[in-house]
Amino acid sequence: MRVVTLISGRGSNLRALLEARRPGGALAGQPVEFACVISNRADAAGLAIAAEHGIATEVVDHRQHPERAAFDRALAERIDAHRPDLVVLAGFMRILSPEFVRHYENRLINIHPALLPAFPGLDTHARALAAGVKLHGCTVHFVTAEVDAGPILVQAAVPVRADDDPARLAARVLVQEHRVYPLALRWLAQGRVRVDEHGVARVSADTGDADAALVSPSG
Ligand code: GRF
């Protein structure tokens, strides 16, 4: 499975994916090849992470393409040069046009820092705290034209603590992001994922401890 990853910034999810190839990691021994990392910003810290791991990097600067459609076309051209089976958004902070999304239907995934369909969009941790939810988390999903709304591959939940602030909550969610994103790639590489006729992603995954319930407050 040839993967092109798109980033805009820090790149901690990218790092988690690359490190998951190490012995014992979710991607160890899996047929996953990271062909290229593309950023829309030349100063994205994640580009150095890619380089450290010997992965080719490219920049497609959105400021050189003021129109969204032109940027998306330039981006798709660079992506397609690597003939990817999967395009992975890892903190890529641009909204993609319906044409772009359609071009990568069922091979474009994203990680979102909330338990979708709750809290699509930005500032998810502050909004979760303001809503008083007792569980929060992250979601890996296929990308569709509607933002943060595509078929869900995997989610992880964390308890919300009484003394949380957005930064503390974000840090605990991020630990789970780094755990589930490699899992999603593993299942895709193994051909265990299909999207059914209702637009629901069905994953024949290892059951693991998936029956364990996370209750918060724990009482
Ligand atoms: C993550 O919280 C991810 O869920 C969101 O953007 C952030 C990217 O962080 N889509 P990083 O660049 O992977 O560290």
Side-chain angles (χ1 to χ4, degrees), residues 29-40:
Q30 300 300 318
V32 176
E33 186 193 338
F34 290 90
C36 186
V37 172
I38 302 178
S39 174
N40 64 308

Side-chain angles (χ1 to χ4, degrees), residues 173-206:
V173 170
L174 194 62
V175 171
Q176 299 306 318
E177 294 186 32
H178 297 167
R179 186 173 149 212
V180 297
Y181 221 178
L183 274 182
L185 263 74
R186 174 188 174 94
W187 296 332
L188 287 161
Q190 294 177 339
R192 293 185 185 196
V193 181
R194 81 183 168 86
V195 177
D196 76 10
E197 63 276 23
H198 306 293
V200 173
R202 304 286 177 192
V203 183
S204 57
D206 305 319

Side-chain angles (χ1 to χ4, degrees), residues 10-200:
R10 177 175 63 174
S12 73
N13 277 288
L14 170 67
R15 183 191 295 281
L17 290 171
L18 296 174
E19 291 184 350
R21 300 175 301 167
R22 293 184 178 157
L27 295 178
Q30 300 300 318
V32 176
E33 186 193 338
F34 290 90
C36 186
V37 172
I38 302 178
S39 174
N40 64 308
R41 302 178 56 112
D43 61 355
L47 289 170
I49 296 172
E52 261 169 51
H53 285 80
I55 314 290
T57 61
E58 294 184 25
V59 174
V60 181
D61 189 337
H62 60 276
R63 288 166 309 183
Q64 315 236 310
H65 306 277
E67 298 212 346
R68 190 188 303 285
F71 171 69
D72 282 8
R73 274 197 303 276
L75 184 61
E77 198 175 292
R78 294 314 311 144
I79 295 170
D80 290 347
H82 298 280
R83 294 174 287 104
D85 302 299
L86 185 70
V87 178
V88 171
L89 305 182
F92 185 67
M93 301 304 287
R94 306 293 303 171
I95 303 241
L96 296 162
S97 62
E99 294 71 32
F100 183 97
V101 170
R102 205 171 311 120
H103 179 65
Y104 297 104
E105 192 177 10
N106 288 336
R107 53 187 184 118
L108 177 61
I109 63 173
N110 180 45
I111 188 155
H112 180 74
L115 293 171
L116 292 173
F119 311 119
L122 298 174
D123 299 324
T124 54
H125 309 300
R127 287 160 59 211
L129 289 173
V133 296
K134 303 298 182 243
L135 292 168
H136 183 48
C138 59
T139 303
V140 178
H141 64 97
F142 284 108
V143 176
T144 54
E146 195 183 335
V147 175
D148 299 329
I152 292 170
L153 277 153
V154 59
Q155 296 184 302
V158 300
V160 178
R161 295 187 185 145
D163 61 348
D164 264 336
D165 62 20
R168 271 199 294 270
L169 183 54
R172 288 207 311 290
V173 170
L174 194 62
V175 171
Q176 299 306 318
E177 294 186 32
H178 297 167
R179 186 173 149 212
V180 297
Y181 221 178
L183 274 182
L185 263 74
R186 174 188 174 94
W187 296 332
L188 287 161
Q190 294 177 339
R192 293 185 185 196
V193 181
R194 81 183 168 86
V195 177
D196 76 10
E197 63 276 23
H198 306 293
V200 173

